[in-house]
Amino acid sequence: VQLQASGGGLVQAGGSLRLSCLASGSVRSINTMAWHRQAPGKTRDLVASINKSGILKYADSAKGRFTISRDYAANTVDLQMNSLKPEDTGVYYCEAEGIHFGESPIAYRTWGEGTQVTVSS
C-alpha cells in the first residue's frame, strides 16, 4: 500500500484546511486509516482515525474541530480541519494499517510523506 498526502499549507488562526490522502496498491487489505501530527521537537501523535467499521477516534485536541472521513470508492481519507489554532502546526502524516492475507497473514503499517500545516496567530 502506498499513500500520498496533499492539502497542507499556511492558514491564519480560525481558518480551515482539508487534507487528503490517496491510497494505492493493495487497498482492500487496509483496515484503519489515520492522520498523525508531528510538531517541531515533539513526537508523532494520532490526530484522528477511522476503521472499516466506521469507528472514529479523535485526539482530545481535535474533537469538535476536525472531521475524518473515508471514501472507499476513491480510496481516500480526508481530514477537515476547522477553527485552526497555532498549536495545530506541524507535519501531518497519513497512515494505513491492515493485513496482507496469503499463505501467512502479515500485518502492516505504512506511512505517507508528510504535509506541512502552519497556522499563524
Side-chain angles (χ1 to χ4, degrees), residues 14-119:
S16 298
L17 280 176
R18 188 176 184 90
L19 306 183
S20 186
C21 178
L22 173 65
S24 60
S26 303
V27 295
R28 286 188 175 185
S29 68
I30 298 174
N31 180 23
T32 300
M33 295 192 75
W35 286 96
H36 298 251
R37 175 177 62 234
Q38 187 164 19
K42 296 192 176 181
T43 58
R44 189 178 299 185
D45 296 326
L46 177 70
V47 175
S49 68
I50 180 169
N51 69 7
K52 267 188 176 178
S53 300
I55 296 174
L56 309 177
K57 291 184 180 179
Y58 291 97
D60 287 343
S61 61
K63 290 177 182 176
R65 300 187 299 125
F66 294 3
T67 302
I68 190 168
S69 59
R70 192 166 170 181
D71 185 332
Y72 289 91
N75 297 318
T76 58
V77 62
D78 290 354
L79 185 68
Q80 177 66 41
M81 304 186 293
N82 300 327
S83 303
L84 283 161
K85 306 175 181 179
E87 50 264 43
D88 295 320
T89 294
V91 179
Y92 283 70
Y93 294 90
C94 180
E95 179 233 343
E97 297 178 14
I99 298 176
H100 288 301
F101 286 99
E103 290 187 5
S104 299
I106 300 173
Y108 68 87
R109 188 182 194 190
T110 190
W111 298 87
E113 292 186 2
T115 184
Q116 177 71 44
V117 171
T118 303
V119 184

